[in-house]
Amino acid sequence: MSRLTGVGVSSGRASGPVARVADPLPEPSATPAPAEPAAEAARIRPAAEAVAERLFERAGRVEGDAKAVLETTAAMAMDPALSSQAEQLVTGRSLPAPRAVYEAANGFAEALRAAGGYMAERARDVQDVRDRIIAELVGATPPGVPGLDRQSVLLARDLAPADTADLDPSMVLALVTEEGGPTSHTAILARALGIPAVVAVRGVLAVPDVVGAVVDGDSGEVETSDQEVPVQAAERAAPSEWNGVGATADGKPVKVVANVGSGADARAAIAAGAQGVGLFRTEFCYLAAGEEPAVETQRAAYHEVIAPFAGKPVIVRTLDAGADKPLAFLDMGVEPNPALGVRGLRVAFDRPDVLDRQLEAIAAAAADSGAEVSVMAPMVATIDEAAWFAARVRAAGLPRAGVMIEIPAAALSAAEILGAVDFVSIGTNDLAQYAFAADRMMGALAELNDPWQPALLRLIAEVGRAGRQLDKPVGVCGEAASDPLLGGVLAGLGVTSLSMAAAAVPAVGATLAKHPLAAFEQAAQAALAAPTAAHAREAAKSALA
């Protein structure tokens, strides 16, 4: 057997025969030129609509986050901007329709990838839509998970969210991908389905004659074999039963809330029982905008997401964009190192009018929503920045101002920053990326972005300690919160709310209710003292056994 190591993202150990997920279709040729470009261009929109229709059909058979993922992918397929761009490539450059779709989608994906962070992770979704439309145009089988006639371990270069959303956990023993990372939708949905998963297993697809595999979603180890491996399914816990109240077994409140960016996300969060929203990513409302949306346009977009949470807390993050997340109307120019440049709140220092109009729109949406709306800023590094933002929030008539802790300097200055604002929320995805100098989109660096890394936990502990001293809320809205075991550890570090993808809400809420806060504090101390991420995970598990 060959032994490889990746990043375990969904707990459990399973083994069995391997089923490979087909790679995308080959890159379409730019020749021959179509004899009738107008007729060739006219094929694109019906193909996209057919793809969207099938995705909507699949969405109708599932609920919660899986439904939201499939609906979002279907909406991407129907995006008129994508079809129009592809049609122009056919009529303007005489490209065949498949090649035109390929180039148009790649342009959209590259823009998202350049944006970094959460936006970059959506580039994979665009590529998935691209491949499905191309398959429709050439009459080929669309890419994705093959039909399974026996229980199998899925082996793939990567999995698009739409591939993962409606997997049958009775047939899929485990997931192994060569790419991806701990914050991917594959990781989130695998945990929700109770399927062991390991991502970023470099070289696994190059191992010859793989017939069977043993997968350990805790250690991240994958053993492949050129012989049959007995089927052993992971022991799956019964579906999480949660009463909807986020609290430890001894009644210590820990809110279990959701990360959202659209109306579909909001509906999935409500269906999952989320107690509110810990992160509303407002930049989704700007992505297709060639110019800054009017205040009323913004208000309507925000209201669609906020209104379903009447009577519940909603934390709205102001625009997280800039040189590394380009929006046409900002015209930020080119920077040599945009991930460390003018982004997030830093944009507002030069363009305070953009921030003020967004705050005006948020206040208007909040006023007629019935939700308890707070606002927080991304990419805050110092107390002066935090105080500047808080003053503008209060001037806009919004009652609560907070900031994101994504930069190590902010974590180390958490007590001072909390003195200037009402709450903080830790973005573990970016905090890990900056603490380890490791691009979270690179599969080769996925291990450094493992949220169990002790150095990351120690930064979180600093923030939790400051929150306790000042009696102010400390949230986590990175995907670290979606790991039920880690969620308990975070509570033990002083975190008072956990925000995650909707699919993870019930399991995290149920796990919090299993142990008193003192037990989670003991698990947290064990994890802090561990030398590696793998040891931290095992130490916490042992402490709670």
Side-chain angles (χ1 to χ4, degrees):
M1 300 188 80
S2 297
R3 186 186 301 270
L4 299 167
T5 302
V7 178
V9 295
S10 184
S11 183
R13 183 180 174 87
S15 62
V18 162
R20 289 180 178 265
V21 177
D23 281 339
L25 297 171
E27 181 177 330
S29 173
T31 56
E36 298 183 15
E40 181 73 356
R43 296 175 57 216
I44 293 172
R45 214 164 289 253
E49 290 172 353
V51 168
E53 183 178 353
R54 280 195 288 273
L55 289 166
F56 277 127
E57 286 175 0
R58 288 170 57 188
R61 297 193 291 267
V62 294
E63 296 296 335
D65 207 48
K67 185 181 187 74
V69 164
L70 289 165
E71 287 179 343
T72 300
T73 308
M76 283 185 177
M78 294 180 67
D79 185 350
L82 175 60
S83 294
S84 295
Q85 179 67 27
E87 288 165 354
Q88 290 171 20
L89 290 172
V90 174
T91 56
R93 289 176 45 196
S94 294
L95 293 179
R99 179 69 189 189
V101 169
Y102 182 84
E103 292 193 12
N106 283 0
F108 281 89
E110 189 55 41
L112 288 169
R113 197 174 290 110
Y118 186 85
M119 294 298 165
E121 292 168 5
R122 305 286 70 78
R124 178 69 183 88
D125 304 17
V126 175
Q127 291 169 333
D128 178 44
V129 166
R130 173 199 71 190
D131 295 340
R132 292 176 189 276
I133 296 174
I134 291 172
E136 182 72 21
L137 287 167
V138 302
T141 302
V145 178
L148 299 178
D149 55 9
R150 61 176 179 171
Q151 289 182 300
S152 303
V153 173
L154 288 185
L155 188 63
R157 186 168 306 282
D158 197 3
L159 282 171
D163 290 330
T164 319
D166 55 354
L167 289 179
D168 182 354
S170 69
M171 296 297 288
V172 178
L173 295 164
L175 300 175
V176 178
T177 66
E178 187 165 85
E179 299 176 358
T183 64
S184 66
H185 265 107
T186 298
I188 297 162
L189 292 169
R191 283 194 291 267
L193 294 168
I195 299 172
V198 182
V199 300
V201 186
R202 300 176 69 190
V204 68
L205 295 178
V207 179
D209 304 321
V210 176
V211 174
V214 180
V215 180
D216 191 325
D218 294 292
S219 68
E221 289 187 349
V222 177
E223 295 179 354
T224 62
S225 175
D226 59 3
Q227 300 179 18
E228 288 284 344
V229 173
V231 170
Q232 180 182 342
E235 290 186 11
R236 294 194 179 97
S240 301
E241 294 186 5
W242 178 49
N243 63 6
V245 178
T248 58
D250 55 338
K252 177 67 174 178
V254 182
K255 289 179 183 175
V256 182
V257 290
N259 296 339
V260 302
S262 65
D265 288 348
R267 292 188 292 274
I270 291 290
Q275 294 180 288
V277 172
L279 169 62
F280 172 15
R281 300 180 175 98
T282 57
E283 52 272 15
F284 279 87
C285 304
Y286 291 80
L287 283 181
E291 56 186 29
E292 181 187 352
V295 169
E296 179 55 31
T297 302
Q298 293 183 52
R299 186 209 65 79
Y302 302 152
H303 185 267
E304 180 187 2
V305 178
I306 294 171
F309 297 94
K312 296 180 179 180
V314 174
I315 297 176
V316 182
R317 183 178 69 187
T318 55
L319 188 60
D320 189 11
D324 73 326
K325 298 181 179 182
L327 295 176
F329 70 86
L330 288 176
D331 190 23
M332 299 299 296
V334 177
E335 294 181 350
N337 196 346
L340 302 179
V342 180
R343 54 163 292 197
L345 184 63
R346 297 170 182 179
V347 174
F349 300 146
D350 295 326
R351 296 286 305 275
D353 57 315
V354 173
L355 173 62
D356 290 343
R357 284 189 289 272
Q358 183 176 26
L359 292 174
E360 180 185 349
I362 294 169
D368 56 3
S369 70
E372 302 167 6
V373 176
S374 306
V375 185
M376 66 180 177
M379 203 66 177
V380 171
T382 68
I383 180 175
D384 287 344
E385 293 176 358
W388 183 88
F389 175 75
R392 293 194 105 80
V393 170
R394 289 162 186 150
L398 289 155
R400 295 179 73 247
V403 300
M404 296 279 291
I405 302 289
E406 303 165 284
I407 300 171
L412 296 172
S413 303
E416 292 81 2
I417 287 174
L418 271 168
V421 297
D422 300 302
F423 66 94
V424 296
S425 187
I426 304 169
T428 52
N429 303 347
D430 271 333
L431 185 58
Q433 176 171 247
Y434 289 126
F436 289 94
D439 186 342
R440 73 190 224 214
M441 294 307 299
M442 290 191 64
L445 302 178
E447 186 175 352
L448 292 175
N449 284 293
D450 187 330
W452 283 95
Q453 284 284 359
L456 177 63
L457 296 179
R458 291 165 196 165
L459 285 171
I460 295 170
E462 285 292 317
V463 184
R465 188 177 300 114
R468 284 171 168 163
Q469 288 172 351
L470 296 173
D471 193 26
K472 289 190 176 181
V474 172
V476 165
C477 59
E479 290 305 339
S482 66
D483 179 335
L485 176 62
L486 184 51
V489 167
L490 295 172
L493 293 174
V495 169
T496 57
S497 69
L498 299 166
S499 190
M500 66 210 73
V505 164
V508 172
T511 300
L512 284 171
K514 289 180 181 177
H515 303 281
L517 181 61
F520 288 127
E521 289 174 338
Q522 183 178 357
Q525 292 307 309
L528 287 174
T532 68
H535 283 95
R537 185 185 289 107
E538 288 305 313
K541 187 181 294 185
S542 297
L544 293 171

